[in-house]
Amino acid sequence: MGHDAFAQHGLGSATLMIISALCQRPHQTVAELVGTSSVSRDTAYRSLRRLAEHGLVHRAGETWALAPHALEGIGTRLAGPVTGITPVPAQGWAAVAAGLGTSGRAAQLKALHAAQRAAYRAVLDRLAEHRSKAVVIVREDGRQLVVPASRPDEIPPAWHTADGRVFDPITGRSAPGWRVATDGRLILITPADQRSYDELAAAHAEALSEWESAA
């Protein structure tokens, strides 16, 4: 299945199922192949036609069978006439892939996936540069404990009150332009914002209620 001959726009995975079914039991009708290969009737006809174009299957009456060296991708002339098909016997799976225009598809996909993984790792590295480094604390028993450093917008509990007011650590006075959210992170109340912190919290709760009701 990993060969370029079975890539997308090539023979495809359904054709491989047909080959497997005929390898297990030769001389099957299309109706039988639908059951043994687990493909639809239209897919079976389409796959058999592709295989017949490369001389990889033979038709005898209503039944189909693999050519003598079909598993190696070696095709032969059809034993009987098949309407509308002029077989060009393949000389190996590489020749089949070349005829279908899918040569090198696996290498292209591999290179694409490698480039995508590299780009993803680069994004992760850029994000990691902005993360705070963990603080290593050595306990009395000698064990090391890794504690994440606080975020720039997180302040110690002693610097704010239960109702969200923030104290300036230098002057000890309340900082009127700041509030603290319930998760301990700072919220800047700009002069353009005419609503108080409590009003903003109430509006947020109302929006969540409306969202859950709509859902």
Side-chain angles (χ1 to χ4, degrees):
M1 183 59 196
H3 198 282
D4 291 337
F6 297 96
Q8 187 179 14
H9 305 304
L11 292 179
S13 58
T15 302
L16 187 62
M17 299 293 289
I18 294 292
I19 292 175
S20 177
L22 290 177
C23 179
Q24 296 294 324
R25 183 162 66 88
H27 303 291
Q28 296 187 58
T29 64
V30 173
E32 292 172 333
L33 283 171
V34 169
T36 57
S37 63
S38 300
V39 300
S40 68
R41 189 178 186 87
D42 290 342
T43 301
Y45 274 115
R46 185 166 56 252
S47 299
L48 287 170
R49 184 178 183 85
R50 288 179 178 176
L51 291 171
E53 289 173 349
H54 296 281
L56 298 173
V57 291
H58 287 169
R59 182 179 179 181
E62 296 298 324
T63 64
W64 293 81
L66 293 176
H69 299 286
L71 296 182
E72 291 78 32
I74 306 299
T76 60
R77 295 287 179 182
L78 295 181
V82 178
T83 304
I85 297 178
T86 303
V88 179
Q91 299 300 318
W93 293 120
V96 173
L100 295 171
T102 56
S103 295
R105 185 65 55 80
Q108 293 172 1
L109 289 176
K110 185 177 181 180
L112 174 62
H113 295 162
Q116 291 174 338
R117 286 192 295 268
Y120 180 68
R121 285 194 297 267
V123 172
L124 292 181
D125 291 340
R126 288 197 298 270
L127 292 175
E129 292 176 357
H130 298 285
R131 296 174 185 162
S132 300
K133 295 183 178 180
V135 179
V136 179
I137 300 176
V138 180
R139 298 171 52 179
E140 293 181 357
D141 57 4
R143 297 178 60 185
Q144 292 185 347
L145 179 65
V146 178
V147 179
S150 60
R151 291 166 47 109
D153 59 351
E154 293 177 344
I155 63 174
W159 289 9
H160 63 87
T161 62
D163 61 355
R165 289 180 299 162
V166 179
F167 290 109
D168 188 325
I170 298 178
T171 64
R173 298 177 181 178
S174 176
W178 294 92
R179 285 284 188 173
V180 176
T182 54
D183 61 356
R185 294 178 181 173
L186 288 169
I187 298 177
L188 174 62
I189 307 298
T190 65
D193 194 343
Q194 300 299 320
R195 292 182 294 178
S196 67
Y197 178 81
D198 293 334
E199 290 172 338
L200 288 173
H204 179 260
E206 182 179 357
L208 284 179
S209 178
E210 292 178 356
W211 173 265
E212 292 174 355
S213 298

